[in-house]
């Protein structure tokens, strides 16, 4: 999944637009983009959309962002959407492996009730929205086989910290958020799942958005969440391996295959050894997956 587009759960109009956006996944939101009074209606609208959208021959993955476990709203969210067989549940304000295990148990019950295959519904936590969440990042590895990816959030984290802002005037994140971003990459590698970059809220700033996507790809994120349809095409382009990157990866793989038993080789004046081969194999695997 390269692009994951947030769509408010109470907006059939945006949900319909989301389907045409080209996003790899839609995140149908029951949390922060829906006012408290609107939650029951948003659940109904989202459930109806899920049921219609999942039968389409070509469709994005359908992910539901439920309300955080601490709100007391999560159960009703799951009751409403699980019969619609979402591909994944996104858990906001997740504080570690215990939270996703807890959610996994709630999902398992509802899969059984709706005659869905056990384990079909994946989990994507937003893992850095609270100070406590930062300390739970190392506990996702092995917590549940449902874990599909990890992502992070800077907006709620700044609220939890009482910060004035999370970005410098230059647009780059201040230190606490740079740390949270980096720790998310380490946590995802440790749990052996993809790291998905967080949203970029200034949705008219196309240039700043591109810069941020390029920096995320550089550092190892495999995709990014979007809040506006205009952000989808740049994400899809930037997070797909370029023809040049793929050609280089294939050349490295071929070189090692042609030299079995060799640990280190030179190519175009560069030393290549095992980490370079692994990196090339990951690029190739991503390209193959996208081609499917
Ligand atoms: N998904 C699907 N369609 C969207 C969309 C989204 N996230 N954001 C905007 N659109 C649609 C609009 O409805 C509009 O279509 P219309 O003119 O046919 O109604 C079109 O795209 C252009 O929208 P635009 O006028 O540029 O933006 P806006 O002012 O209407 O909306 C936001 C701005 C931020 C309110 C909107 O982008 C949004 O709701 N984003 C998602 C918010 C969210 O889910 N946040 C939670 C996670 S942080
Ligand atoms: Mg939030």
């Amino acid at each position: 999944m390269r692009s994951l587009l947030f769509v408010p759960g109470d907006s059939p109009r945006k949900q319909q637009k989301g389907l045409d956006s080209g996003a790899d996944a839609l995140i149908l939101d029951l949390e922060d983009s829906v006012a408290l009074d609107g939650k029951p209606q948003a659940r109904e609208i989202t459930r109806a959309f899920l049921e219609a959208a999942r039968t389409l021959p070509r469709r994005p993955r359908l992910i539901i962002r439920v309300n955080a476990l601490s709100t007391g709203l999560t159960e009703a969210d799951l009751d409403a959407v699980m019969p619609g067989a979402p591909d994944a549940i996104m858990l906001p304000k997740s504080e570690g492996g215990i939270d996703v295990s807890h959610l996994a148990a709630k999902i398992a019950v509802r899969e059984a009730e709706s005659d869905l295959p056990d384990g079909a519904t994946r989990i994507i936590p937003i893992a850095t929205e609270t100070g406590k969440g930062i300390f739970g990042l190392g506990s996702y590895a092995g917590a549940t086989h449902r874990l599909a990816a990890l992502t992070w959030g800077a907006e709620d984290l700044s609220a939890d910290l009482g910060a004035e802002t999370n970005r410098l005037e230059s647009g780059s994140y201040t230190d606490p958020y740079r740390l949270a971003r980096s720790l998310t990459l380490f946590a995802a590698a440790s749990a052996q799942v993809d790291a998905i970059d967080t949203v970029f809220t200034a949705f008219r700033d196309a240039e700043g958005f591109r810069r941020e996507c390029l920096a995320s790809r550089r550092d190892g994120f495999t995709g990014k969440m979007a809040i506006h349809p205009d952000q989808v095409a740049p994400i899809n382009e930037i997070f797909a391996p370029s023809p040049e990157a793929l050609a280089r990866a294939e050349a490295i793989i071929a070189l090692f295959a042609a030299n079995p038993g060799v640990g280190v080789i030179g190519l175009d004046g560069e030393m290549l050894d095992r980490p370079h081969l692994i990196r090339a194999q990951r690029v190739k695997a991503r390209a193959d997956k996208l081609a499917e």
Side-chain angles (χ1 to χ4, degrees), residues 181-236:
R181 175 183 182 277
S182 299
L183 288 172
T184 302
L185 287 166
F186 303 140
S190 132
Q192 294 186 293
V193 295
D194 285 345
I196 306 287
D197 196 22
T198 194
V199 298
F200 184 84
T201 53
F203 59 90
R204 304 278 185 233
D205 178 6
E207 203 183 303
F209 184 67
R210 268 195 92 78
R211 253 199 319 272
E212 193 164 282
C213 288
L214 288 166
S216 313
R217 186 191 68 192
R218 176 197 68 203
D219 291 343
F221 288 100
T222 59
K224 188 167 173 69
M225 298 192 290
I227 54 155
H228 191 284
D230 289 353
Q231 295 180 326
V232 170
I235 295 178
N236 286 351

Side-chain angles (χ1 to χ4, degrees), residues 5-9 11 13-19 21 26-29 31-34 65 155-156 199 201 203-204 225-230:
L5 174 64
F6 268 110
V7 184
S11 173
R13 186 183 178 89
K14 287 181 186 166
Q15 290 171 348
Q16 197 51 47
K17 292 216 121 172
L19 281 181
S21 68
L26 300 182
I27 307 168
L28 304 160
D29 186 28
E31 200 216 10
D32 286 348
S33 69
V34 177
R65 182 166 76 169
E155 305 308 319
D156 285 277
V199 298
T201 53
F203 59 90
R204 304 278 185 233
M225 298 192 290
I227 54 155
H228 191 284
D230 289 353

Side-chain angles (χ1 to χ4, degrees), residues 109-246:
V109 172
R110 289 163 179 88
E111 279 176 346
E113 284 168 356
S114 294
D115 283 328
L116 298 171
D118 178 38
T121 320
R122 312 297 301 278
I123 296 177
I124 304 177
I126 312 181
T128 69
E129 290 195 306
T130 65
K132 190 173 173 197
I134 300 292
F135 293 99
L137 280 167
S139 62
Y140 287 100
T144 164
H145 58 282
R146 294 178 188 271
L147 197 70
L150 282 184
T151 187
W152 71 289
E155 305 308 319
D156 285 277
L157 182 57
S158 59
D160 197 40
L161 299 184
E164 289 172 8
T165 179
N166 52 25
R167 298 214 190 231
L168 301 168
E169 261 173 48
S170 65
S172 44
Y173 279 114
T174 59
D175 283 345
Y177 311 92
R178 287 159 52 110
L179 178 66
R181 175 183 182 277
S182 299
L183 288 172
T184 302
L185 287 166
F186 303 140
S190 132
Q192 294 186 293
V193 295
D194 285 345
I196 306 287
D197 196 22
T198 194
V199 298
F200 184 84
T201 53
F203 59 90
R204 304 278 185 233
D205 178 6
E207 203 183 303
F209 184 67
R210 268 195 92 78
R211 253 199 319 272
E212 193 164 282
C213 288
L214 288 166
S216 313
R217 186 191 68 192
R218 176 197 68 203
D219 291 343
F221 288 100
T222 59
K224 188 167 173 69
M225 298 192 290
I227 54 155
H228 191 284
D230 289 353
Q231 295 180 326
V232 170
I235 295 178
N236 286 351
E237 177 209 318
I238 290 169
F239 286 93
S242 67
E244 300 77 44
L246 179 59

Side-chain angles (χ1 to χ4, degrees), residues 19 26 48-60 62:
L19 281 181
L26 300 182
F49 176 75
L50 254 185
E51 281 173 350
R54 61 189 286 265
T55 63
L56 297 172
R58 269 188 65 80
R59 62 164 180 87
L62 300 165

